[in-house]
Amino acid sequence: MMASASIDYRNAVLLAVVVFATLCACEAKSPYAVGLSEDFYEKTCPQAAAIVDAYVTKFLRKDRTFAGAFNRLQFHDCWVGGCDGSVLLNSTGSIQAEREAHVNFGLRGVAEIDEIKAGLEYFCPGVVSCADILIMAARDATAKVGGPTWPVAMGRRDGVNSTALMADTNLPFPVLNFSGLVANFAAKGFSAKEMITLSGAHTIGQSHCNGILPHLYNFTGKDDATDTDPAMNKNFAVFLKKLCPQGNRTNTIFIDSTASTFDRAYYKNVLHGKGIFMTDSALITNPLGKKVVRSFSKPGSSFFTEFAAGMVKMGNLGVLTGTEGEIRKTCQFVN
């Protein structure tokens, strides 16, 4: 009897420990917004992630700079009214969509996202949102060019509103100084360090000269072609001016010395006055910014880990779930 009672007691204690651990696990804070989960499409479209991955592979084989394009699409979508795929919508007769905003000049990847959507519609019609496709494509593309990967939670629905004004009043313009960048990111709940971390997306992709010209010409408003940002390496400025002559908005240029590979070169370039945008150079005009940039430029830094965490956090912004919004049939048009 004594042995039996002892066993029963130990079993009861063990059961209590298991129940407590289960409760603690349930109460642990999820890194995802309410309504999102990693297995959201497990029953309705289990092949969704594989389909997106296959298309991203196809696009990158054709042009590895699409990795930067997909990263930019996620940022430019989530920063404007939340991650709802609104950046993909076309303008209508009366409304200029986000894509027509000044800050979205040269936005790429929209047609490719629509191609992925068409593939998903073939296998799982009306199930996977354009907003979720953007999130998956940015993650997959980053990993395929040497960057980190991260878990993605699904369940976002697509928004129906998109205006150029929304984009121009939310997204950071490429002429912001350090304090302006900090304020822009703080408005979305991101710290100064997270801003510097996500700026690291400039390690991949390309840009039109449109966003670079203010860095090269008329920097202080003197209307002088030689009025270049003094923080920029002089030889690098000469190099950029050959690629982006004054007034030329449409030429394209790689935004990093290793633009087809996600690495730490961006931060090394910024430290040496070779940031493409004014916002890049601005990062080292502040002591904290310079400290973080220097840290991320070194082997073994936490840049990859922190970038992945920043992308997960960004993917939670203003999501529509449940019965909100819609699941678009094509990404460029509301149903």
Side-chain angles (χ1 to χ4, degrees):
M1 289 291 290
M2 289 289 290
S4 176
S6 177
I7 291 172
D8 287 343
Y9 174 74
R10 288 200 298 269
N11 287 341
V13 171
L14 179 61
L15 178 61
V17 170
V18 170
V19 170
F20 178 75
T22 302
L23 286 172
C24 288
C26 291
E27 291 173 1
K29 186 177 180 181
S30 168
Y32 308 124
V34 175
L36 304 183
S37 65
E38 292 181 44
D39 60 356
F40 187 83
Y41 295 119
E42 185 175 12
K43 294 181 179 179
T44 56
C45 191
Q47 65 271 55
I51 291 172
V52 174
D53 184 83
Y55 273 100
V56 171
T57 298
K58 169 189 167 182
F59 299 138
L60 292 182
R61 281 176 179 165
K62 179 181 177 182
D63 181 355
R64 283 172 67 90
T65 66
F66 271 118
F70 291 141
N71 262 265
R72 187 185 183 203
L73 275 178
Q74 176 176 329
F75 177 61
H76 283 231
D77 182 41
C78 294
W79 226 245
V80 184
C83 308
D84 63 352
S86 58
V87 72
L88 303 169
L89 287 171
N90 283 345
S91 296
T92 65
S94 59
I95 299 175
Q96 269 198 326
E98 291 173 37
R99 281 162 51 196
E100 303 302 320
H102 296 294
V103 75
N104 278 330
F105 184 89
L107 202 68
R108 303 168 63 227
V110 174
E112 287 69 25
I113 295 296
D114 244 349
E115 189 174 335
I116 299 174
K117 174 64 173 173
L120 285 164
E121 284 295 297
Y122 179 82
F123 289 100
C124 314
V127 173
V128 183
S129 68
C130 300
D132 277 347
I133 294 171
L134 278 182
I135 299 294
M136 287 188 274
R139 185 273 308 271
D140 293 348
T142 301
K144 289 179 188 298
V145 294
T149 188
W150 52 88
V152 292
M154 302 290 105
R156 297 166 192 79
R157 289 171 65 85
D158 297 321
V160 297
N161 298 311
S162 177
T163 69
L165 180 61
M166 290 170 61
D168 280 334
T169 55
N170 279 274
L171 287 162
F173 274 77
V175 296
L176 288 181
N177 59 20
F178 188 85
S179 60
L181 288 168
V182 169
N184 181 274
F185 274 71
K188 305 296 180 183
F190 288 74
S191 68
K193 187 177 184 182
E194 287 172 323
M195 177 272 290
I196 299 166
T197 302
L198 290 172
S199 295
H202 290 172
T203 187
I204 48 176
Q206 64 184 36
S207 171
H208 287 87
C209 290
N210 181 64
I212 302 169
L213 295 178
H215 209 187
L216 298 175
Y217 309 101
N218 199 27
F219 179 71
T220 60
K222 296 178 181 177
D223 196 23
D224 183 349
T226 64
D227 185 16
T228 303
D229 183 355
M232 181 178 283
N233 178 285
K234 291 182 179 180
N235 291 332
F236 187 59
V238 171
F239 168 73
L240 287 183
K241 286 182 178 183
K242 290 179 181 178
L243 298 173
C244 295
Q246 190 171 16
N248 187 310
R249 303 172 67 224
T250 57
N251 281 1
T252 57
I253 181 174
F254 290 134
I255 60 176
D256 180 83
S257 57
T258 56
S260 295
T261 303
F262 193 102
D263 55 22
R264 298 182 310 276
Y266 165 75
Y267 293 105
K268 295 179 183 178
N269 292 337
V270 169
L271 280 175
H272 292 97
K274 296 181 179 180
I276 292 291
F277 303 109
M278 286 171 62
T279 51
D280 297 329
S281 296
L283 299 183
I284 57 172
T285 61
N286 174 277
L288 169 64
K290 193 167 188 176
K291 180 180 179 181
V292 175
V293 169
R294 183 175 287 113
S295 171
F296 283 166
S297 73
K298 297 177 180 178
S301 75
S302 59
F303 168 49
F304 276 35
T305 301
E306 295 193 45
F307 184 86
M311 292 296 280
V312 171
K313 181 175 177 178
M314 188 198 305
N316 291 328
L317 291 174
V319 297
L320 302 175
T321 59
T323 58
E324 299 172 311
E326 63 181 16
I327 304 297
R328 287 187 219 136
K329 295 177 182 177
T330 60
C331 292
Q332 298 185 51
F333 302 93
V334 296
N335 293 342

